[in-house]
Amino acid sequence: MSCADKFPVSSSSLSSSSSKFVTNTKTKPLSSHFPPLNPRWVCPPITCFRSKTRPLQTKVASFTNHKKKNKSYDNVSTSILKSLELSNDVEDTLDSFDGNISPREITVILQKQRNWESVVRVFKWFKSQQGYVHNVIHYNVVLRILGRAQQWDQLRLCWIEMANNHVLPQNNTYSILVDCYGKAGLAKEALLWIKHMRMRGFFPDEVTMSTVIKVLKDVREFDRADRFYKNWRGGKVDLDDLDFDPLTLNTNGSRSSVPLSFKQFISTELFKTGGGIRDSDAKSSLDMESAPPKPRLSTTYNTLIDMYGKAGRLKDAADVFADMMKSGVALDTCTFNTMIFITGSRGNLVEAESLLVKMEEKAVSPNTRTYNVLLSLYAGAGNVDAALSYYRRIREAGLFPDAVTYRALLGVICAENMVQAVESVIDDMEKSSVSVEHSLPGIVKMYIREGDLDKANDLLQKFQMNREPSSVICAAIIDAFGESGFLAEAETMFYRPRHMARQARDILEFNVMIKAYGKAKLYDKAVFLFEEMKNQGICSTDATYNSLIQMLSGADLVDQARDLIIEMQEMGFKPGCQTFSAVIGSYTRLGQLSDAVDVYEEMLKTSVKPNVVVYGSLINGFAEHGSLDEALHYFDLMKESGFSANLIVLSALLKSYGKAGDLEGVKSIYEQMQNMEGGLDIVACNSMITTFATLGVVSEARHTFENLKKAGRANSVSYEIMMYLYKDIGLFEEAIKIAEEMKMSGLLRECYSYNKVMTCYSVNRQFHECGKLLCEMVSKKVLPNAETLFVLFSILKKGLFPIEAVEQLESCLEEGKPFALQATYASLYSLLGMHALALEFLQTFIESELESAAAYNVAIYVYASAGDVVKALNIHMKMRDKHVEPDIVTQIFLVGCYGKARMVEGVKKIHSLLEYGEVERSESLFKAIKYAYKLCNRRVDMGFTLDSEEYSEAESEYSEAESEYSEYDNGSETEYDSNSD
């Protein structure tokens, strides 16, 4: 008959889950459920097989004899262990030792085995020897090793054999089992061992109790751990409080959906065996001894302090620490390290440092971990000096930094871009043979921020010469390069040569490389890499699909994204709400509303609940296309799904009502927006102004705008909307007033805002104000965009700058000529009479080696406009020396220069070229010649005319322009001899 048959646990002895099962050391013994034990099983004698030693004396041996015995034990066990290391044949090796091997030596030999297979073989050999008497210490050693190796089947067999050999478990046995199961992530099963030991009449001793606290702490069941400890202090164990049914906890605190009741657990072969109940007298006395009123071990206090600290119960942790000192329990380094971390991680760094002082007062020596804790705390707080101070104190204390030290320190000094300090720490790590691998991503990011890619690449090459970084580290480095736009470096890291099969690319590296391609907008490469990954047999994850789909959707490559959603589902993955939302948003931006609705319906079919972003995209999409009824339909669906309308959604509806011309609807939505918690935000207010402006309700728009100004909330967009509203309805003075207010408010910061104000000034022909704004833009280093250039060229055209010259400048900009932008600025400033600025921009390119007539043309115009005709003519001579052919623009600006200098012969020369067809006929050149003769006080018959109507209109405009800009021309006019050309 097996021990399982002898000592079954009756199911009737178990309480129902609804009742409160509390056991107390003073309650009636549970022996009525178990048959009486054979008295000889209560305490098996610990003897050795083939032992020829004399029995132990009843009196304590002398210290000298004790040392001799220990030395003898050490010699025998050391000899056996060395032999076992040199041989794979365990049995033959042990057979060669025919001497006495005591139980203590057996324990040492079992403990020192390098793997669980060796333990099983060695233990099997000892048990096979004649005279071997089984004892619980040996089984405890074997159970611990098997449990840590997670060899549950072997552990089960060992446990059953232990029962069959009538070896009763001890508290230490259960503590070992609880610890092994807990560290393996089997928190529920670990705690069920406590139920098992209670069914057999054992009460947890302090070590077992502490182990249970650790298990509960690791799964973040802090309240349950606290209750277990307090019950234990009262001499009882609440078995029902150890139930996690119907869910099972994992070590990360999450729960699985696999229920396991205590009856199912206890009925298995593993838990229905393993010892019986002690007699009631022995039980009562032992229980009372194993339930002390207070803990007596430092490790127990340390565990409790750590548990309360992780639970955020700082007062409880401090109380345990104080109780530990009052009880006379020795404070150790672990105690102080834990308390320092707890107090410091809650921001009490001063108190944490005071604990270090107290530690020295108590003659407890700090270790490297002590300084690491303080270093990490200050690093996390951004106090680099303090972190470096504790780094130095490690060596000052005669200790050595470890990998944790270096990782924490490099993290903070890399973030602060302390390049020299980082390189010094790396040198220290090399001297100490500590790998820099885990800090590589942070160091690479630092070099990227410093713009020193060469050092980053040198560091990576140097590291790879000695060791291949792990895939996680490589992925982080690829991501660092990709996020900063250094795609070539990211590709180099991704496609680096691999020297070992285990270093093949994994899914993590593919994911970050795909992300890098997406950031660089190289979507074809991202998709190609995704396909390449599949061809290499690397299984995509749902994260891969979600990332790629969202990337393609953001680029409005929505058809590819849609295909990937289908493929993702075929692979057994379920797209997330954010993924569906990205596709729907892309369809609505493209105006493909029917496709957006199809994806929405598909989302519902796959049981993915739409969020407010999905509904917002659909509402906004239909609002943009004037489908008010559809927008309201999805608005109603959103409310039915339990989502409250936010300002973004209401703004979209406001827009939709505005496009439908429904003023009442607009006001209704506006009222809802005003009644929302927090009130209207600036985006909603601007949307409201835009809607009123669209409907032509100027008074309402003005009222909303004025309220925003009074509240100090009006931004640049608010001013721009009102400015354009006034401009569009012809209220130019009001528009200019808004523009002036906008300037005075300091809201001109972005190119877009400058463009709006310049447009407004340009429409009102206040060109000089446009020049001032352009100057302000340049001083603030606000780069112009296409809209800015459009405004500038429109001013040049309105100011009767020769159309051929305008087209020439536009062509230079399109071709990307290096001087084109400066030449445009110089031309505009000259036209507006802002000659100092024009000359300043001219100097940025005129001294270069120019081969373009356009640059020389601008220089001639700028110098002539500034009244420096000599320099203008010198530019023309330089142009001829460089063999740059003059064009029609050259002739136009040159004749203007001759006119200003009263050089009639020069004007006649160009007039002749035009008259005899040696230069192309141009209205601009014709007008320039006429005006030059006027400046020279000559009335000359041109000999031909252009179309009379066009000429008359052109001459009128030209005269008006000359009158308008004469006030800007402060250049001096000089008389020149006609022969001076």
Side-chain angles (χ1 to χ4, degrees), residues 536-601:
Q536 292 181 18
I538 298 175
C539 295
S540 304
T541 64
D542 56 346
T544 314
Y545 279 105
N546 285 325
S547 176
L548 193 56
I549 293 167
Q550 291 171 33
M551 175 199 306
L552 295 173
S553 299
D556 287 338
L557 299 172
V558 69
D559 292 334
Q560 287 178 270
R562 184 77 178 275
D563 292 341
L564 282 173
I565 280 189
I566 296 170
E567 180 182 318
M568 181 181 184
Q569 291 172 313
E570 289 173 350
M571 293 292 292
F573 297 117
K574 187 175 181 179
C577 179
Q578 192 174 355
T579 300
F580 278 116
S581 177
V583 176
I584 291 170
S586 182
Y587 274 132
T588 55
R589 285 193 300 273
L590 296 171
Q592 297 173 234
L593 298 177
S594 61
D595 290 315
V597 172
D598 289 343
V599 176
Y600 170 75
E601 296 293 341

Side-chain angles (χ1 to χ4, degrees), residues 41 44 134-137 139 161-169 274-275:
W41 293 343
H134 299 272
N135 81 69
V136 70
I137 297 175
Y139 279 101
E161 181 188 276
M162 181 178 173
N164 291 338
N165 290 321
H166 314 303
V167 178
L168 293 179

Side-chain angles (χ1 to χ4, degrees), residues 606-659:
T606 54
S607 301
V608 177
K609 185 180 179 182
N611 61 12
V612 71
V613 178
V614 172
Y615 287 113
S617 295
L618 291 167
I619 293 167
N620 190 62
F622 284 110
E624 284 286 349
H625 291 81
S627 301
L628 177 59
D629 291 340
E630 289 293 326
L632 289 172
H633 169 68
Y634 286 101
F635 181 65
D636 292 337
L637 286 177
M638 183 187 77
K639 290 193 294 184
E640 289 172 8
S641 298
F643 295 109
S644 300
N646 57 30
L647 288 171
I648 297 173
V649 171
L650 290 176
S651 295
L653 279 180
L654 192 95
K655 186 192 310 177
S656 188
Y657 275 117
K659 289 191 174 185

Side-chain angles (χ1 to χ4, degrees), residues 363-379:
V364 178
S365 299
N367 58 12
T368 300
R369 176 173 169 77
T370 312
Y371 294 110
N372 284 351
V373 170
L374 286 161
L375 189 155
S376 300
L377 289 170
Y378 277 109

Side-chain angles (χ1 to χ4, degrees), residues 432-490:
S432 302
S433 300
V434 178
S435 175
V436 75
E437 178 178 0
H438 290 286
S439 299
L440 281 175
I443 299 170
V444 168
K445 287 179 183 178
M446 178 193 70
Y447 282 133
I448 290 173
R449 288 192 297 270
E450 289 292 301
D452 201 339
L453 288 180
D454 290 339
K455 281 192 175 182
N457 291 325
D458 290 345
L459 175 68
L460 293 175
Q461 290 175 7
K462 181 179 179 181
F463 183 84
Q464 288 174 298
M465 288 176 60
N466 301 316
R467 179 179 175 183
E468 176 71 14
S470 70
S471 186
V472 174
I473 298 298
C474 290
I477 295 168
I478 295 168
D479 194 43
F481 283 128
E483 281 292 319
S484 302
F486 296 108
L487 193 62
E489 286 74 13

Side-chain angles (χ1 to χ4, degrees), residues 800 922-932 951 954-955 958:
L800 295 186
S922 161
E923 181 182 325
S924 299
L925 180 58
F926 184 86
K927 291 186 291 183
I929 294 171
K930 287 284 288 182
Y931 186 65
Y951 172 70
E955 186 176 31
Y958 194 81

